[in-house]
Structures are given as C-alpha cells and as structure tokens.
Amino acid sequence: MYVIFGASGNAGFATAAALRQAGRAVRAVVRDTRHGARLAALGCEVALADLTDLASVAAAMRGAQAVQMLCPVPVADADPEATMRKVIDVAAEALRADPPETVLALSDYGAELDANTGITRLFHYLEEQLKPIAGRLILLRSAEHMQNWRRTIPAALASGVLPSFHHPLNKRFPTVAAQDVGTASAELLLDAARGNGTRVVSIEGPRRISAAYVADVLAEIGGQEMVARELPREQWTPVLLRAGLSERHARLITDLYDVHNAGKIDVEFGMHERRFGKTELIEVFAPIVAGLRTEARLQGA
C-alpha cells in the first residue's frame, strides 16, 4: 500500500494517479471528504486525516509499504510556523512508531540551509526530523511551483501589471509545475532497486524563467499588454496583509524572498541527482486564465 498525504493537491494527485496507472494500491489521504471523489474514481482508498492529530495520522499510515509526506503551509493561520512544526512532529512520531519501507518527503530548494530562510526553514526542519527515522528516505526538493503565480494572475490581467517579489525582473530562477513534481515522486517511489539511506533529488522545470518572462507569457495567453514591475520591498508586508495573511505568515514569505533575491535558494552545491519536468509555464497558465474568464462570465450572466 502506498500512502499519499496531500493527495488532493496538484502534486499529490499526480503521484496517486501515476501509482494507480502502474497498478499499485494507493491510500489517498485528504483533510476534507469533498476532495476524495476524484481520487476514489482513480481506484484509490480515500482516508480522512487531521495532520495535527497523531491517532488520525497513524491510522492513515497503517499497513503502508511507502509513505509520501507533504506538510503544507497552513492558510489563514495566525501562526503557520507553529502549526507546520506540529504537523511535522506528529508525522515523525507516527513514522517512528510504525516505519514503512520507504518514506518520500516533498521538500524545497534550499532546505539544506540551517538559516532564516522563511518558509524553506520549515522544510529544513522536516528533513532533519525524518532523517533519523526512515531506513529508506527520499527527499524530493522542488523549485518554486508555477501554480504559485495563480494568486497574482487575476490582478495582473485586470491591470496589465504583474507585481513581482522576484528582484530584479530579469533575474532567472528555477520553477516547476506541481504535477511534474508528483510524477517524479511516483517514479522514485516505484524505484525499488535503490538501497537504504537518504537519497536527495532535485526537480525543476525545463527552463529557468524571470518575472519579465512570466509577464510575457501572461500577455500571450491574455492577448493584452502586460508589464512586470518589482514590488518595492517596503510594500511586501502590507500587500500580503491586505491579501488576508497573518503577520507571521507574511514574515515567512518576506524572509524567503529576501534570501531568494540574494541568490541563496537553489540546487544544493555538489548535488548530482537532478530531474527536470517537461511542463512549460504557458501550459500551467492557460487553464488558469481560462478558468478565471469562465468564472467572470458566469458572475456577469
């Protein structure tokens, strides 16, 4: 049995689908029963779990040959760092009590850094907690997900201006489609030839991009003029607070982009096992823009 946490998300769903296509039994773990229908349609066993509750997480893992761990950053949480650390601690305790043959953790570029890297610091904590537990541990570190731009796209299409935390606008940085991360995860879980120990794998997309390139892609899809603009550093926190984030959540993001713009978030130096997704940015953005336009038409009808 392959147990996939976060199976309703883009990466987790892709992992579950690939494993089912390979004929493997999959238990898809979700936090809301409303997200289970399409996973059940794949032939997955669907389990409901509260990631902060040990009994719930342990029950979801029971009988697992392999577990894919995803520790999402909580949304609308006053203290997302404390909540995420609790989720990690609960997962680690459940794995210690009943360790599967393989644990794969979805992690981040820069997770090797023991420093103030904002959100990425929590993935460092995840990796450190799992290393002493799993006999066969795979750390799949991914670049920034292309889907993260979705929060910015509606305002950009409305104004013709794409605000960017990435400075400068021509700086090229790694990014990846979430579904490519999920597919790579399934391939790694199915690779039974590897022995025990910790295996670190990085994944990013087919090309590195810039904020200016993101604006060009949006202009092409939207059929309109689009310009990227650096969001001044002093505006980062106010913008995030207006978007509904708590002060502590906003700080995690601003700290991350500070180190990102300083060039410190990338593939770990000397790391040899690298993978590259095939999905281009335009393939991710096109359905997002189409969906937004459909919503606008329905609201205007």
Side-chain angles (χ1 to χ4, degrees):
M1 176 68 72
Y2 290 75
V3 175
I4 309 301
F5 283 84
S8 62
N10 291 312
F13 185 84
T15 303
L19 290 172
R20 287 297 300 137
Q21 190 172 13
R24 300 303 197 272
V26 174
R27 181 179 299 140
V29 185
V30 298
R31 290 176 289 174
D32 190 324
T33 53
R34 292 174 297 177
H35 299 151
R38 66 177 188 150
L39 290 157
L42 293 176
C44 297
E45 173 190 332
V46 179
L48 189 66
D50 175 356
L51 300 185
T52 62
D53 179 72
L54 178 58
S56 179
V57 171
M61 290 184 186
R62 194 165 295 127
Q65 169 190 346
V67 172
Q68 175 173 296
M69 289 305 310
L70 171 67
C71 294
V73 180
V75 179
D77 191 306
D79 192 351
E81 178 171 358
T83 301
M84 189 169 170
R85 284 180 181 271
K86 183 175 182 180
V87 168
I88 293 168
D89 290 341
V90 164
E93 187 171 349
L95 288 167
R96 273 192 295 270
D98 186 16
E101 292 178 11
T102 303
V103 175
L104 185 147
L106 296 180
S107 189
D108 258 11
Y109 273 27
E112 74 280 2
L113 301 174
D114 186 9
N116 182 19
T117 55
I119 291 171
T120 299
R121 172 178 67 218
L122 300 172
F123 290 96
H124 175 79
Y125 182 71
L126 170 67
E127 291 190 4
E128 292 304 303
Q129 291 299 104
L130 294 183
K131 283 176 183 177
I133 298 171
R136 182 171 182 251
L137 174 63
I138 304 168
L139 301 175
L140 180 57
R141 294 179 184 158
S142 77
E144 176 182 321
H145 288 189
M146 295 175 184
Q147 282 84 352
N148 289 354
W149 287 92
R150 191 192 188 287
R151 297 186 291 265
T152 310
I153 289 175
L157 292 174
S159 66
V161 176
L162 177 76
S164 176
F165 286 76
H166 286 282
H167 298 178
L169 297 176
N170 62 356
K171 180 197 72 175
R172 289 163 57 85
F173 54 89
T175 186
V176 66
Q179 61 267 31
D180 287 350
V181 177
T183 300
S185 177
E187 292 170 355
L188 291 166
L189 287 169
L190 291 169
D191 182 8
R194 299 276 182 160
N196 286 347
T198 299
R199 179 182 181 187
V200 182
V201 183
S202 73
I203 182 167
E204 61 185 78
R207 69 179 76 198
R208 294 197 165 196
I209 66 171
S210 66
Y213 176 79
V214 174
D216 289 343
V217 169
L218 268 183
E220 180 179 350
I221 297 170
Q224 65 184 88
E225 292 187 2
M226 184 71 60
V227 61
R229 287 187 184 162
E230 291 182 11
L231 189 65
R233 177 64 177 80
E234 66 272 13
Q235 293 182 19
W236 289 5
T237 297
V239 165
L240 293 169
L241 293 178
R242 286 197 298 270
L245 274 63
S246 67
E247 288 188 12
R248 290 182 177 180
H249 196 163
R251 181 62 181 272
L252 289 174
I253 293 175
T254 58
D255 285 350
L256 170 61
Y257 278 99
D258 280 338
V259 294
H260 210 305
N261 291 338
K264 297 178 181 178
I265 301 293
D266 210 317
V267 178
E268 183 177 2
F269 180 76
M271 199 173 104
H272 299 293
E273 190 166 2
R274 300 183 64 187
R275 299 198 173 203
F276 298 88
K278 297 179 180 179
T279 305
E280 296 281 2
L281 188 68
I282 195 167
E283 297 175 75
V284 172
F285 279 12
I288 292 174
V289 172
L292 290 170
R293 287 180 168 169
T294 298
E295 288 176 15
R297 283 197 299 270
L298 292 174
Q299 290 172 0

